[in-house]
Amino acid sequence: MPATFHDLRNKHVLITGGAGGIGAAVSAAFAAQGSRVSILDHDAAAGAKLLGRLNAGDAEVSFHAIDLTDFDSLVPLLHSIEKENGPVDVLINNAAKDPRYDITQMSWAEWEELFKLNVGHYFITCRELIPGMKKNGGGSIIMVTSCNFWIGSGELTCYTATKAAIVGMVRSLAREVGKDMIRVNAIAPGWVMTERQLRERITPEQMKKLQQEDQILPVRLLPEDMAGTFLFLASDQSRVITRQTLAVDAGYAMT
Ligand SMILES: NC(=O)c1ccc[n+]([C@@H]2O[C@H](COP(=O)([O-])OP(=O)(O)OC[C@H]3O[C@@H](n4cnc5c(N)ncnc54)[C@H](O)[C@@H]3O)[C@@H](O)[C@H]2O)c1
């Protein structure tokens, strides 16, 4: 039975990449709390499917199809969402990609493109939405980084650099906006078995090693396992927690 955070009812939660993977589980968890959820994602089919499922009760969830690297479209979209739904109380920057590259074969365009999604849109959403949060008396910003920040897997040098950038961004931004009662924290998921990870990445041998050797806890991490930490960091229950990076990883990063 998931916990209820009464203060999250009617809160405006904006999440990027909220139509698939971890983001979809987080969107569903906030909808179940009675929050007003604005989902930004480029997968319109997944968004429509999720919307059908979440809006079945009295949830208020809206979906906005957008490529988050198209900043010329992102900025006006953020303002139109604010105009329609009011200032954002909880901003969740989640969308990112994790392509593998041999660093000696990676082009500058590929490096720049990954930074544009994994870091760039985190900056743009903060820049555009923090003024509304300030006027509204505060809020909570949650940025998704990765346990790979500590582990540093090969072929993920660029991805790891983007995730390290997020940890740095959180540490500095928390100080910058704390006086305005805006809290800024990061969540670092472990290896989470999303549909995409199961389809494209993990082999049965890797799964076995992960659970029996790499993680402290011998469990399979699911997208739903991430949701409670997002709810907690969004709610007043964590009102004095800021500038932290929480690993939600069954002990993977520390091995
Ligand atoms: N799954 C894991 O094992 C894992 C581990 C550590 C960190 N993370 C982090 O968690 C976050 C979510 O990852 P996930 O595994 O759920 O990913 P995912 O690929 O399953 O889902 C990502 C979502 O973002 C959307 N998206 C991707 N690029 C986009 C773009 N340009 N514009 C708009 N939407 C876009 C996708 O459509 C999808 O709905 C990421 O920040 C990722 O780095 C995931």
Side-chain angles (χ1 to χ4, degrees):
M1 188 73 174
T4 302
F5 295 87
H6 295 286
D7 63 295
L8 292 180
R9 174 159 287 278
N10 288 322
K11 285 279 160 67
H12 184 193
V13 180
L14 186 143
I15 175 165
T16 70
I22 294 169
V26 173
S27 299
F30 278 97
Q33 298 288 330
S35 307
R36 295 174 290 121
V37 187
S38 301
I39 300 173
L40 277 63
D41 201 296
H42 65 176
D43 188 340
K49 209 170 143 192
L50 185 66
L51 218 57
R53 186 158 65 85
L54 299 188
N55 277 331
D58 60 354
E60 248 185 83
V61 184
S62 60
F63 175 74
H64 308 269
I66 181 151
D67 177 352
L68 291 158
T69 60
D70 176 1
F71 300 155
D72 290 341
S73 302
L74 177 59
V75 171
L77 173 63
L78 293 171
H79 292 151
S80 78
I81 291 173
E82 271 189 318
K83 210 168 162 196
E84 201 158 307
N85 277 352
V88 168
D89 297 296
V90 180
L91 166 62
I92 301 175
N93 280 319
N94 164 69
K97 286 198 166 145
D98 61 353
R100 272 63 173 165
Y101 289 103
D102 170 342
I103 195 82
T104 65
Q105 304 299 317
M106 189 176 188
S107 69
W108 171 246
E110 287 165 334
W111 181 279
E112 202 171 33
E113 194 191 332
L114 198 57
F115 261 81
K116 201 169 183 187
L117 177 65
N118 292 13
V119 183
H121 93 269
Y122 285 41
F123 154 61
I124 297 290
T125 51
C126 286
R127 188 186 68 190
E128 299 302 319
L129 297 175
I130 282 174
M133 288 178 137
K134 283 185 181 177
K135 267 196 220 144
N136 202 30
S140 172
I141 299 174
I142 304 169
M143 315 241 196
V144 183
T145 178
S146 169
C147 67
N148 202 60
F149 165 67
W150 293 284
I151 293 169
S153 314
E155 294 193 325
L156 281 170
T157 299
C158 182
Y159 174 76
T160 307
T162 67
K163 292 306 184 181
I166 298 310
V167 175
M169 194 176 164
V170 161
R171 291 179 63 77
S172 198
L173 183 62
R175 202 169 278 289
E176 193 170 334
V177 297
K179 61 186 177 307
D180 301 296
M181 290 310 292
I182 300 172
R183 299 183 294 111
V184 189
N185 292 291
I187 290 177
W191 199 345
V192 183
M193 298 309 138
T194 59
E195 273 177 32
R196 196 174 58 78
Q197 293 294 329
L198 288 169
R199 191 177 60 239
E200 296 175 13
R201 298 275 182 236
I202 194 155
T203 62
E205 296 72 37
Q206 282 172 317
M207 179 85 87
K208 197 170 165 199
K209 181 175 175 300
L210 181 68
Q211 290 179 29
Q212 295 184 358
E213 296 173 34
D214 300 337
Q215 293 177 176
I216 292 174
L217 303 174
V219 296
R220 180 187 284 217
L221 282 185
L222 301 173
E224 291 71 24
D225 291 318
M226 304 296 113
T229 310
F230 283 85
L231 296 177
F232 171 66
L233 286 178
S235 111
D236 291 343
Q237 293 300 311
S238 62
R239 72 181 197 97
V240 293
I241 298 181
T242 194
R243 205 171 180 248
Q244 301 304 307
T245 297
L246 285 186
V248 186
D249 67 345
Y252 183 29
M254 305 307 163
T255 57

